[in-house]
Amino acid sequence: DRSFLAILAEGFFSRLSFGIVSFALPLYALHRGLSLTEVGILVSLNTAVAILLKPATGHLADRTGLKKILAVAIGLRSLVVLLFPFAMTAGALYAIKTTHGISKSLRDPSINALIAERGGKKQVASAFAWYQTAKSVSAGIGKAIAGILLTLTASDYSRVFFAAFLVSVIPLFLVLFGVKERSRGKDP
């Protein structure tokens, strides 16, 4: 299924990008003068925001369309990565990570529903397993790439975040051109 391959590739490239970010961002925040406590809050902020918003954004995805909401989420997440080099204060970093949480709350319900659709009744566990495997492998690779890029660029965070941005937008094209959303009838 071409759509499922696009979904797998979305997971791989999305997590590759945020593997890079998850390694570089705490170091960048320390470089910008944040305390260890502030870095800890920064790193966890997107998850807290996503948890709070997922019920509402899942409902939105059901009403608006899974592919459309996923594309918006990927575009917003890519913008987040592009904004990091311009964040000079803790407040700016917190605002960007809050926006990342919003994108995550939009993305996760949509991608999970698309995976469930593609897996079908007899292969849904296998579909989720392949998707999680792609994400897990690429997250580790992304962290290694971040370390290498920071070494090669003498810790030029803007170049590292720009590389993460370039990787982050690949899934947008994969979703827009590779994922065919199945028509979904109304529940009785």
Side-chain angles (χ1 to χ4, degrees):
D1 182 348
R2 184 178 138 190
S3 286
F4 184 67
L5 290 176
I7 290 168
L8 277 178
E10 180 280 331
F12 181 87
F13 287 110
S14 290
R15 193 57 62 147
L16 182 67
S17 172
F18 268 86
I20 295 169
V21 171
S22 70
F23 184 92
L25 183 60
L27 300 172
Y28 179 68
L30 287 170
H31 177 75
R32 287 280 169 223
L34 274 69
S35 71
L36 288 177
T37 300
E38 290 170 320
V39 171
I41 292 168
L42 177 69
V43 171
S44 61
L45 184 59
N46 67 310
T47 300
V49 170
I51 288 168
L52 291 172
L53 295 179
K54 278 183 186 181
T57 57
H59 180 75
L60 179 66
D62 284 336
R63 300 290 177 250
T64 307
L66 303 174
K67 180 178 172 179
K68 183 185 296 183
I69 294 299
L70 180 58
V72 168
I74 294 168
L76 188 58
R77 182 205 56 223
S78 297
L79 177 64
V80 162
V81 179
L82 197 57
L83 290 176
F84 280 129
F86 301 104
M88 300 299 163
T89 66
L93 285 169
Y94 288 143
I96 294 168
K97 281 298 275 188
T98 298
T99 305
H100 179 217
I102 294 167
S103 74
K104 186 175 180 179
S105 77
L106 290 165
R107 181 190 171 279
D108 290 354
S110 298
I111 198 71
N112 288 336
L114 286 167
I115 293 167
E117 282 182 358
R118 296 295 170 216
K121 291 180 182 178
K122 295 185 181 209
Q123 295 181 337
V124 72
S126 179
F128 275 99
W130 276 108
Y131 186 78
Q132 291 300 323
T133 299
K135 283 176 42 176
S136 296
V137 166
S138 62
I141 294 170
K143 291 172 185 169
I145 289 172
I148 293 166
L149 288 174
L150 285 169
T151 300
L152 292 175
T153 64
S155 295
D156 184 344
Y157 291 98
S158 61
R159 287 184 183 184
V160 174
F161 288 130
F162 187 70
F165 166 76
L166 291 176
V167 174
S168 182
V169 295
I170 293 170
L172 183 59
F173 295 103
L174 292 168
V175 167
L176 289 175
F177 301 110
V179 175
K180 303 291 183 227
E181 188 172 2
R182 295 181 177 160
S183 72
R184 302 163 75 207
K186 297 281 182 197
D187 289 336

